[in-house]
Amino acid sequence: MSLDELKSALPDYAKDLKLNLGSVIGNSELPKQQLWGTVLACAIASRSPRVLRELEPQARENLTPEAYTAAKSAAAIMAMNNVFYRTRHLLSDPEYGTLRAGLRMNVIGKPGVEKVDFELWSLAVSAANGCGQCLDSHEQVLRGAGVDRETIQEAFKIAAVVTAVGTTLDAEAVLAEAVSV
C-alpha cells in the first residue's frame, strides 16, 4: 500500500492526521535515507501491524539493505533502552542511576550506517516511546554533530504522526470487530 492509500484508510475525524502524514513524509526535506529510516523505525515502534505493513515496502524500496537493517536495529535497541532508562529515571531512588546497566548495546557503536542517521532514528523511536533521558542523550549527540534543531524536530514529528496513525487505525479495527460481533 502506498502512503496515499494509508492516508485514505484514516477516518474522517482524523483529517489532521491525513494532512500531517502527507506533510511529514510526503513533503519532508530530510534526505531519503534519514526520512525512510525514521519512518521504518517509527512504524516498528508504533506497534501497529497495519502501519508497519503499509509503510515497510516503501521504506525497503528507499533504503539500502544496510540502512534498512540499521533502522530496524534502532527500533529494536531503543525498545529495550527506552524501557530501561525511562524506568531508571522515573524511580525516585537515584542510586539506580549509579548501577551498571549490564545490557548489550553494541549496535549503537557500529550501526552499519552513518552515526548521525542512526542517532536520528534512535531519537525518533525514543520520542515514540516517551523516554526523556534517551531523547536528551540522542539530541546532544546530534547537536554535537552539527545537526540543526529543524532536522531533529522533523524526526520527532514523524514519530508523533506515525504513532497517532497507528493508534487511530488500530482503534478503528477493534471498533469494527466489536460492531460485527
Side-chain angles (χ1 to χ4, degrees):
M1 183 180 266
S2 72
L3 184 60
D4 287 336
E5 290 170 352
L6 185 59
K7 289 189 306 188
S8 70
L10 287 163
D12 289 341
Y13 68 81
K15 182 179 180 182
D16 289 328
L17 296 182
K18 290 180 192 186
L19 297 171
N20 289 331
L21 192 58
S23 66
V24 301
I25 297 175
N27 297 326
S28 177
E29 294 185 15
L30 291 176
K32 184 169 68 168
Q33 180 166 296
Q34 286 183 356
L35 170 64
W36 286 103
T38 302
V39 170
L40 179 59
C42 290
I44 293 168
S46 78
R47 296 174 183 84
S48 171
R50 181 158 188 196
V51 166
L52 182 56
R53 255 191 326 270
E54 308 301 357
L55 293 175
E56 184 276 340
Q58 281 184 274
R60 184 184 295 269
E61 184 179 300
N62 284 286
L63 294 169
T64 65
E66 296 80 14
Y68 178 83
T69 298
K72 292 192 314 180
S73 296
I77 196 68
M78 297 318 297
M80 177 186 74
N81 284 357
N82 293 157
V83 171
F84 180 81
Y85 287 104
R86 183 178 61 237
T87 301
R88 201 156 81 164
H89 174 75
L90 291 172
L91 288 169
S92 60
D93 184 348
E95 290 298 313
Y96 287 102
T98 67
L99 300 176
R100 183 177 169 275
L103 298 171
R104 301 272 183 193
M105 302 174 213
N106 296 328
V107 72
I108 294 173
K110 287 185 154 188
V113 293
E114 293 292 325
K115 181 86 168 139
V116 165
D117 292 354
F118 192 82
E119 288 290 332
L120 192 68
W121 304 337
S122 297
L123 177 129
V125 172
S126 296
N129 291 334
C131 181
Q133 190 171 9
C134 292
L135 281 166
D136 282 342
S137 175
H138 295 291
E139 191 265 350
Q140 288 173 9
V141 171
L142 288 163
R143 295 289 293 144
V147 177
D148 60 42
R149 286 180 179 88
E150 291 78 12
T151 297
I152 293 168
Q153 182 169 286
E154 282 297 308
F156 64 81
K157 282 169 51 177
I158 291 167
V161 173
V162 169
T163 300
V165 168
T167 299
T168 302
L169 292 177
D170 290 353
E172 285 298 308
V174 168
L175 295 172
E177 283 178 25
V179 170
S180 69
V181 173

